[in-house]
Amino acid sequence: MLCTSLGFCLFQPPCLADGSNGNDRIAVVISKKIKPYIQVGDGIQAKSEEIKLDVDLFILDPETKSIQDNVLHQLALRDYKLIAAIGPEAAVFIWAITSIHSPKVYTAILDPENCTGLPEHAMGIALKIPVEIQVKEISRHFENLGTIGVLFDPTFNQDFYDQAEAAALNHSFETTPIKVGSKTQISQQLQAHIGKIDAIWMIPDQTVISEKIVHYVIKQGIYQGMGVIGYNSFFTLSGAFFSFEFDYKALGSQAALKIKSFLESGQWTPDPPVFKTIVNQRMAKKLGIIVKK
């Protein structure tokens, strides 16, 4: 049953079916109606049909209290085996509900440890690929990257850099920091590293996260013979020679399998998110970067 007129849920079972088919029924609350979150929800629902979970999907509107109240009312109407949140707004919403005692999990949150309102013990799948795995993937794909400059603001990502530096000791390249404290420092710091690095690694960072900056860094990098490593499809489309990308429907499938396992065992073990790596062969060749076979 589509609930477009109310705008608060993507799917609602007629009369809240009682799950008489014997399947466990879970609720999935989506932060807002944007494509990545909807794709995660689609992935959860598709995999759940295969593994015998019944799923009710609800979409929040963080700006509209009446919609939040409607979702809360629907969640309270039945005894869900588990409530899952997609995105930070939905996670904060479900953990704030003290009257419902179903287990809660999250997915599609970049930094759950920095999500105000999310308890430290919260279970879920963060959108964070462990640094060691990223370093290993870069080394696995390329032969002649001797030094990679990591562009970051130490206020937010010094720990990321420290982990990358340590991990690189076990692989085929070394890292060097390109530290910036503001957007205005990016040009100067890039100029200071010309001739000293073979590539620029851009990571999620509040100071260097805009599309304009990404375009600028990629353009300057190519001009100086330094390719860029990025963290989503926008980088690849903009000219990065390598990027880590998420298939959001696959993330939903991963979440459904983790939920099913938790409901059966009562145990939740943290796993990194599923991801794929994309090599821009044309750009790598242009920059003289050797891609391993």
Side-chain angles (χ1 to χ4, degrees):
M1 177 179 177
L2 293 175
C3 300
T4 52
S5 60
L6 293 177
F8 70 87
C9 69
L10 187 68
F11 165 82
Q12 180 184 344
C15 301
L16 290 172
D18 61 7
S20 55
N21 58 8
N23 295 348
D24 289 327
R25 182 171 291 279
I26 67 170
V28 176
V29 182
I30 303 175
S31 289
K32 59 184 74 172
K33 195 173 183 178
I34 60 174
K35 186 174 181 179
Y37 292 162
I38 297 300
Q39 288 177 334
V40 175
D42 289 344
I44 290 176
Q45 193 166 40
K47 179 58 70 172
S48 293
E49 292 174 2
E50 178 184 322
I51 61 177
K52 300 188 184 305
L53 280 177
D54 290 328
V55 178
D56 296 345
L57 287 173
F58 304 93
I59 297 180
L60 282 178
D61 179 346
E63 305 300 321
T64 308
K65 189 176 184 304
S66 61
I67 292 177
Q68 296 178 43
D69 289 344
N70 276 321
V71 174
L72 177 58
H73 175 69
Q74 296 297 322
L75 294 178
L77 281 179
R78 64 176 308 114
D79 184 21
Y80 286 107
K81 292 289 186 179
L82 179 143
I83 302 175
I86 299 175
E89 295 88 355
V92 172
F93 175 80
I94 68 169
W95 259 279
I97 304 171
T98 57
S99 58
I100 297 176
H101 303 293
S102 303
K104 301 167 185 175
V105 300
Y106 66 81
T107 189
I109 301 179
L110 179 60
D111 290 305
E113 65 273 14
N114 296 326
C115 186
T116 303
L118 194 62
E120 187 176 342
H121 63 270
M123 305 179 298
I125 303 172
L127 283 180
K128 294 181 73 170
I129 306 167
V131 180
E132 165 63 30
I133 292 178
Q134 295 188 55
V135 168
K136 182 179 179 180
E137 287 296 316
I138 295 170
S139 178
R140 183 173 71 86
H141 281 86
F142 305 103
E143 290 187 359
N144 60 333
L145 295 179
T147 303
I148 297 177
V150 183
L151 180 62
F152 69 101
D153 185 335
T155 301
F156 306 113
N157 277 302
Q158 185 63 51
D159 183 60
F160 182 105
Y161 178 78
D162 292 342
Q163 292 181 54
E165 183 180 43
L169 295 174
N170 300 317
H171 295 283
S172 62
F173 63 90
E174 62 181 28
T175 64
T176 190
I178 306 176
K179 297 183 180 183
V180 296
S182 68
K183 295 176 175 62
T184 59
Q185 296 177 0
I186 293 173
S187 176
Q188 177 186 358
Q189 288 302 310
L190 289 179
Q191 289 295 317
H193 285 81
I194 291 175
K196 300 178 183 178
I197 61 176
D198 302 299
I200 304 163
W201 184 2
M202 297 188 72
I203 64 176
D205 187 287
Q206 295 181 41
T207 301
V208 293
I209 203 171
S210 74
E211 291 185 6
K212 183 177 180 181
I213 290 173
V214 171
H215 281 303
Y216 173 80
V217 173
I218 290 176
K219 181 178 179 181
Q220 291 301 309
I222 293 172
Y223 181 71
Q224 299 295 342
M226 304 179 295
V228 168
I229 297 168
Y231 53 86
N232 60 38
S233 59
F234 178 75
F235 285 84
T236 307
L237 294 171
S238 300
F241 72 88
F242 185 68
S243 62
F244 298 90
E245 298 184 12
F246 292 115
D247 178 332
Y248 291 100
K249 190 168 183 178
L251 281 166
S253 178
Q254 180 188 20
L257 288 169
K258 289 285 292 180
I259 289 168
K260 180 69 171 180
S261 175
F262 172 76
L263 292 175
E264 291 176 346
S265 69
Q267 302 294 318
W268 184 280
T269 54
D271 289 332
V274 294
F275 68 94
K276 58 185 177 181
T277 54
I278 304 297
V279 178
N280 186 332
Q281 298 278 356
R282 180 184 64 82
M283 188 56 65
K285 184 177 180 180
K286 178 178 181 179
L287 293 165
I289 297 170
I290 299 173
V291 181
K292 293 180 181 180
K293 301 297 184 180

